[in-house]
Amino acid sequence: MEKVLQFLKEAGVYYLATVDGDQARVRPFGTVNLFDGKLYIQTGKSKDVAKQLEANPKAELCAFKNGEWLRVAGTFVEDDNRAARVSMLEAYPNLKAMYDPDDGNTAVYYIKDATATFSSFSSAPVVVKF
């Protein structure tokens, strides 16, 4: 999982794919945090992405850097633990202008039953499960 976290942080931006009815939806994200041994992302509960994850928590993210890409598929589970929200906002202090751990809008999700696949055109895929 540390290799996944490092890749995502170094990439800076990853793309999260969710399902909206019968339509795929993809958008850029930048938040990723390790808390309590789990890999987390963050968004606002008022956003469509949160509603899509509530309806279908199976999602996938993808990042690219230096000719290599990473895909992480799994079940995105909202964690209502205040400490998880605080940890995310401490890791990304710039978000504090928009989010607060107690605002009722800040949502953090950990990835359960994750399959991470590191790929490139020059080597065989490497799969990590967590």
Side-chain angles (χ1 to χ4, degrees):
M1 188 181 332
E2 286 291 336
K3 184 178 177 184
V4 172
L5 177 66
Q6 180 181 350
F7 189 101
L8 292 171
K9 285 195 174 270
E10 288 175 4
V13 175
Y14 61 87
Y15 296 86
L16 179 66
T18 59
V19 176
D20 183 13
D22 65 350
Q23 178 66 51
R25 301 289 180 195
V26 180
R27 79 279 291 151
F29 268 70
T31 55
V32 60
N33 193 37
L34 188 63
F35 176 77
D36 200 22
K38 299 173 188 164
L39 194 67
Y40 281 79
I41 68 163
Q42 181 274 333
T43 192
K45 289 184 181 184
S46 63
K47 293 184 176 182
D48 288 343
V49 64
K51 295 169 187 155
Q52 292 157 9
L53 287 172
E54 183 179 334
N56 182 353
K58 291 189 177 189
E60 184 167 303
L61 61 85
C62 183
F64 182 85
K65 76 174 181 83
N66 301 329
E68 186 177 23
W69 60 95
L70 168 66
R71 292 175 38 227
V72 182
T75 302
F76 287 63
V77 179
E78 185 178 0
D79 188 344
D80 198 31
N81 181 347
R82 183 180 190 278
R85 294 190 302 272
V86 168
S87 178
M88 180 64 79
L89 295 176
E90 289 300 317
Y92 293 89
N94 58 321
L95 291 177
K96 292 179 181 180
M98 298 178 290
Y99 295 101
D100 179 274
D102 301 312
D103 64 8
N105 184 45
T106 302
V108 292
Y109 298 82
Y110 66 87
I111 309 171
K112 178 181 169 187
D113 302 326
T115 299
T117 306
F118 293 89
S119 301
S120 74
F121 291 118
S122 60
S123 60
V126 175
V127 176
V128 177
K129 295 186 182 239
F130 57 92

